[in-house]
Amino acid sequence: MGSLETVTSRDGTPIAYERGGEGPPLVLVHGTTSDHLTWEPVLPELQEHFTVYAIDRRGRGESGNGDGAGYDIEREFEDVVAVIDSIDEPTDLFGHSYGAICALEAALRSSHVRRLILYEGTFPVPKGTRTYASEALDMVQSQLEAGDEEGALTTFYRGIVLMSPEEIDMIRSLPIWQARMALAPTIPREMRAFESYVSSFDPARLGNLRAPT
């Protein structure tokens, strides 16, 4: 286990991360319905080679929510930048899924990223193409309003992430299932923020990315 530390993001929200291991810094940014504990199976290996900073994105763990005026994905980008810029040397940055978007945008905003790894990132597709049916997100919202977090999480995995029933059953059997159910209410806000992000994405901005990716 590492030590739990915090840094203050641009809007004043505390962002927590678990720091452990030895070596060059590596910042980990988790995806939707997750927190820093999602990395536990691989942390021992990573901490043999890196000083790992496993972030709890806002609204999770010891991180503040900071969304009194409404959720804005831009704040998530600033949160990752705050962690990166608090480290006193160039940093490797690893983002998974929704966290990959946050990592990419942080790398465009900070000069401290040495290398960038984007795993299972969902990035813009040709205009008019949808990667999932719009009614899937509507169903997630309805299930959450009815208090059915497990149903909402299952619908998210099946209808939006496009997992197979076998994959969902496997995740349901793990201890992390309860924690992921508790985070199900974050799904609609993140998916709608993602849709807005995609609609305004300008690929030319990636010309400013200098970190090997």
Side-chain angles (χ1 to χ4, degrees), residues 63-87:
S63 292
N65 198 36
D67 296 324
Y71 178 76
D72 186 342
I73 193 174
E74 187 76 23
R75 304 291 82 76
E76 298 258 23
F77 307 156
E78 294 170 357
D79 297 345
V80 179
V81 170
V83 175
I84 295 167
D85 288 355
S86 72
I87 302 169

Side-chain angles (χ1 to χ4, degrees), residues 97 120 131-132 155-164 167:
S97 190
E120 291 188 330
T131 55
Y132 59 88
T155 298
F156 171 67
Y157 284 144
R158 184 177 63 237
I160 296 176
V161 182
L162 306 180
M163 284 184 174
S164 69
E167 289 173 311

Side-chain angles (χ1 to χ4, degrees), residues 22-109:
E22 293 185 5
L26 169 65
V27 173
L28 305 179
V29 190
H30 62 77
T32 300
T33 72
S34 301
D35 57 21
H36 80 275
L37 297 176
T38 196
W39 306 107
E40 279 195 338
V42 295
L43 273 182
E45 293 287 340
L46 292 174
Q47 290 176 348
E48 287 186 9
H49 306 281
F50 300 95
T51 301
V52 178
Y53 299 72
I55 294 175
D56 268 333
R57 287 175 35 229
R58 60 176 52 211
R60 295 158 169 82
E62 296 301 313
S63 292
N65 198 36
D67 296 324
Y71 178 76
D72 186 342
I73 193 174
E74 187 76 23
R75 304 291 82 76
E76 298 258 23
F77 307 156
E78 294 170 357
D79 297 345
V80 179
V81 170
V83 175
I84 295 167
D85 288 355
S86 72
I87 302 169
D88 60 2
E89 60 182 299
T91 301
D92 292 342
L93 178 60
F94 185 116
H96 172 230
S97 190
Y98 193 89
I101 295 173
C102 299
L104 171 65
E105 291 294 332
L108 289 168
R109 290 161 170 76

Side-chain angles (χ1 to χ4, degrees), residues 90-169:
T91 301
D92 292 342
L93 178 60
F94 185 116
H96 172 230
S97 190
Y98 193 89
I101 295 173
C102 299
L104 171 65
E105 291 294 332
L108 289 168
R109 290 161 170 76
S110 174
S111 61
H112 294 172
V113 178
R114 184 171 70 113
R115 295 181 299 183
L116 178 65
I117 304 98
L118 307 174
Y119 173 53
E120 291 188 330
T122 305
F123 295 102
V125 293
K127 193 169 184 177
T129 302
R130 288 194 66 91
T131 55
Y132 59 88
S134 58
E135 54 264 27
L137 186 54
D138 293 339
M139 183 179 292
V140 169
Q141 183 71 59
S142 296
Q143 289 169 313
L144 287 171
E145 290 171 356
D148 183 10
E149 285 81 7
E150 182 161 20
L153 185 60
T154 302
T155 298
F156 171 67
Y157 284 144
R158 184 177 63 237
I160 296 176
V161 182
L162 306 180
M163 284 184 174
S164 69
E166 292 77 18
E167 289 173 311
I168 295 171
D169 286 343

